[in-house]
Amino acid sequence: MADKKRSTPKLDELEKGPWPSFVKEMKQAAEKSATAADALGILERSYNDKIGHWKHGGIVGVKGYGGGVIGRYNDIPQDFPDVAEFHTVRVNQPAGWFYTSDALRKLCDIWERHGSGLTNMHGSTGDIVFLGTKTPELEPIFSELTEAGFDLGGSGSDMRTPSCCCGMARCEWACYDTMGLTYDLTMHYQDELHRPAFPYKFKIKAAGCPNDCVASVARADLSIIGTWRDNIQMNKDAVAACATGGKVDIGKDVVAKCPSKCMDWDGKNLSIDNGNCVRCMHCINVMPKALAPGKDRGATILVGSKAPIIEGALLSAVMVPFLKLEAPYSDLKELIGAMWELWGEHGKNRERIGEFIQRVGLGNFLEQIGLEPVPEMVTQPRTNPYIFYDVKK
Amino acid sequence: MNDINEQQVAEAMYAMVKEYHGKKNLKAMDLTKAMIEKFGEACTKDLCKAAIRQLMDSERCTYSYVGGSYIVLPPEKK
Ligand code: SF4
Ligand code: SF4
């Protein structure tokens, strides 16, 4: 039992109301852990001082690895000695975030033995995040994790732990095996994951369909988003059932909301001009029994999104409109290799690949990585004068 | 073309990290580019990767994070 109980009137406010509260969880952890108690205390202090008291970085990690541990310290250690060091440990999550209860217990036991007991399941990279430990605990944590079959994830200027939606394991819309691909990329790029060698971080996220449940288009330098090349599959009986079921107004809820206005409904027949469908998934999401992605499935490869850290936020842009993603994923790996080679050599320190493309220009970037320009790469292909492509294709 | 091995590249990298210690933080790519310039084409990026791994596994060098990731001397060797 931790012997210190800190007064936290401001944080206590966050426990009120019917919703779950992180404060309640932290207080529970503080019953057993002095580190968790001080973490609560310094947070209350930050609310009072209106300033964050954390700083991060430095030389901290496990032998041989340059990623997986984020050194964290506070600037008032005299007041909060149990969080003078409060390092974060990132643990590579299983693809799709599937665990057995036994694996979860093992993870939590390791963390209660060597850290604050506080976890973040999962961080924005997708990793299991262990919050708050001291430098001497890092090697023991690492060896116990590896014994339990886990490894550290990425941090710093490396390939961050690739993550994906649950894909074919649970979702009928998955246009490729997101979990298979993520596992394959994680194993193939172990060196890039553990030994930072890039100008800055590089995130890979794999979504099985354009619903993009992992927000890859906004949060990954390489966004792999499932799509299809042929027509949307339609079950006419299910369309009729939808029309008479009373829950969906096909004209109002589906056709009128199609962003490319490529659907038509005459009260009996639903038709889709598939050539103009932009694969937004809206109609499929509203009528899941009647409509489904086509059968010729693969993924669109997009590059360049990032959150606003050094420069402003970017969304990923199309690099390859369609790729049949099948193991061993040689085409994708070739593309990744070409991009890393160019960005690695010419990227500035702390320049994400999306910013690099903006700086050198998309045309130059494509030429250097050996990719042919196609209209899908630019938002307004008919008006952009900088990208040249063969209009006949 | 000169023959060059992992050990030689690792030694040259280590010397460079030592020389720049306290003056400039070096990234993996800074070391790689310097080695390719020093040893020529025989020194490939894969060889540089292996040399960096050797320096890390032997604990002669370590990674630090100051905004980005750098290769530095471990604290006790400074
Ligand atoms: S992104 Fe698509 S395939 Fe993946 S879980 Fe979401 S809806 Fe399903
Ligand atoms: S997927 Fe989107 S664009 Fe395509 S037909 Fe359905 S609503 Fe229209």
Side-chain angles (χ1 to χ4, degrees):
Chain A
M1 170 95 59
D3 53 4
K4 54 173 100 164
K5 192 161 172 32
R6 293 191 176 271
S7 157
T8 55
K10 287 208 167 71
L11 289 176
D12 297 349
E13 289 297 312
L14 299 176
E15 281 185 289
K16 295 176 183 165
W19 41 81
S21 165
F22 72 94
V23 176
K24 187 173 148 215
E25 299 297 322
M26 285 178 79
K27 280 185 178 172
Q28 258 175 34
E31 294 284 322
K32 289 200 263 179
S33 153
T35 312
D38 261 7
L40 265 178
I42 200 168
L43 185 56
E44 179 79 15
R45 174 77 161 264
S46 286
Y47 284 6
N48 287 324
D49 296 352
K50 297 187 173 58
I51 188 172
H53 284 290
W54 297 115
K55 42 191 188 156
H56 78 285
I59 301 178
V60 60
V62 300
K63 186 182 157 188
Y65 280 19
V69 178
I70 298 109
R72 212 170 288 281
Y73 310 86
N74 80 62
D75 60 2
I76 36 175
Q78 65 285 3
D79 295 346
F80 298 96
D82 284 310
V83 289
E85 288 182 334
F86 194 72
H87 309 319
T88 297
V89 180
R90 286 202 186 131
V91 183
N92 194 329
Q93 80 286 4
W97 299 291
F98 285 92
Y99 302 90
T100 60
S101 52
D102 181 50
L104 283 174
R105 256 181 226 110
K106 274 191 189 136
L107 285 168
C108 291
D109 287 347
I110 293 170
W111 190 230
E112 287 203 343
R113 273 196 296 279
H114 298 290
S116 70
L118 297 170
T119 65
N120 175 359
M121 304 285 272
H122 297 82
S124 59
T125 43
D127 298 89
I128 302 158
V129 178
F130 286 172
L131 291 162
T133 192
K134 296 178 173 55
T135 306
E137 300 291 347
L138 293 172
E139 288 295 344
I141 291 170
F142 183 45
S143 74
E144 287 192 33
L145 280 172
T146 46
E147 207 168 302
F150 285 88
D151 194 0
L152 296 188
S155 68
S157 308
D158 64 8
M159 179 189 82
R160 299 301 181 79
T161 319
S163 71
C164 63
C165 73
C166 58
M168 286 174 171
R170 286 189 61 210
C171 185
E172 65 206 292
W173 303 148
C175 294
Y176 67 95
D177 182 358
T178 55
M179 294 169 63
L181 172 68
T182 300
Y183 180 75
D184 186 293
L185 294 178
T186 305
M187 299 314 284
H188 187 76
Y189 294 120
Q190 280 289 295
D191 197 69
E192 287 77 5
L193 176 61
H194 297 307
R195 294 173 195 85
F198 296 149
Y200 205 18
K201 63 185 94 171
F202 190 92
K203 299 182 180 180
I204 300 177
K205 290 193 193 294
C209 80
N211 279 336
D212 195 8
C213 293
V214 284
S216 70
V217 77
R219 291 164 59 185
D221 300 271
L222 182 72
S223 319
I224 305 165
I225 303 181
T227 189
W228 61 95
R229 269 192 299 204
D230 54 351
N231 296 343
I232 288 179
Q233 299 183 70
M234 192 187 300
N235 176 333
K236 293 210 158 133
D237 292 340
V239 172
C242 250
T244 53
K247 283 192 184 146
V248 176
D249 180 333
I250 296 180
K252 209 165 113 219
D253 301 334
V254 182
V255 174
K257 289 185 176 159
C258 167
S260 59
K261 303 284 172 241
C262 69
M263 305 185 90
D264 201 38
W265 170 244
D266 63 8
K268 271 197 179 144
N269 292 307
L270 180 67
S271 59
I272 301 173
D273 170 9
N274 278 278
N276 279 312
C277 164
V278 292
R279 276 72 173 152
C280 79
M281 292 292 292
H282 170 70
C283 58
I284 297 170
N285 290 336
V286 179
M287 302 167 71
K289 287 192 177 147
L291 303 174
K295 288 182 178 158
D296 185 10
R297 299 176 176 193
T300 300
I301 313 300
L302 305 94
V303 175
S305 79
K306 60 175 279 289
I309 300 181
I310 310 287
E311 303 271 333
L314 292 174
L315 289 178
S316 283
V318 174
M319 278 295 135
V320 182
F322 187 88
L323 204 57
K324 259 295 196 219
L325 275 181
E326 281 157 3
Y329 312 106
S330 310
D331 291 350
L332 179 63
K333 286 172 187 161
E334 205 179 298
L335 175 70
I336 293 173
M339 292 193 303
W340 280 352
E341 181 84 19
L342 184 67
W343 170 60
E345 185 130 356
H346 301 287
K348 290 185 191 168
N349 194 20
R350 303 195 82 192
E351 182 176 51
R352 297 283 285 269
I353 197 164
E355 294 160 350
F356 174 71
I357 294 171
Q358 284 193 330
R359 177 165 64 83
V360 301
L362 180 61
N364 291 328
F365 182 80
L366 294 175
E367 196 181 318
Q368 291 298 316
I369 63 169
L371 216 56
E372 283 289 316
V374 289
E376 289 91 332
M377 287 171 177
V378 281
T379 327
Q380 292 172 295
R382 291 174 188 85
T383 57
N384 189 314
Y386 299 105
I387 307 295
F388 302 98
Y389 52 85
D390 185 353
V391 279
K392 288 188 206 101
K393 280 187 187 170
Chain B
M1 197 186 282
N2 292 332
D3 265 355
I4 174 88
N5 62 38
E6 185 185 310
Q7 192 58 38
Q8 285 169 284
V9 178
E11 291 306 327
M13 283 182 171
Y14 182 69
M16 194 173 162
V17 173
K18 239 175 145 177
E19 186 193 335
Y20 278 84
H21 170 66
K23 297 175 198 136
K24 187 180 179 230
N25 283 326
L26 298 170
K27 300 198 79 150
M29 188 48 78
D30 298 329
L31 290 170
T32 302
K33 280 181 182 167
M35 293 305 114
I36 292 171
E37 201 176 314
K38 182 179 168 85
F39 295 111
E41 267 176 34
C43 180
T44 61
K45 284 186 177 168
D46 281 344
L47 193 59
C48 291
K49 254 189 196 177
I52 290 172
R53 185 173 181 160
Q54 193 201 105
L55 288 173
M56 294 299 161
D57 289 347
S58 63
E59 298 183 85
R60 295 174 80 197
C61 287
T62 189
Y63 289 100
S64 79
Y65 184 85
V66 203
S69 302
Y70 297 93
I71 293 174
V72 298
L73 297 178
E76 66 274 16
K77 293 197 179 152
K78 283 178 185 174

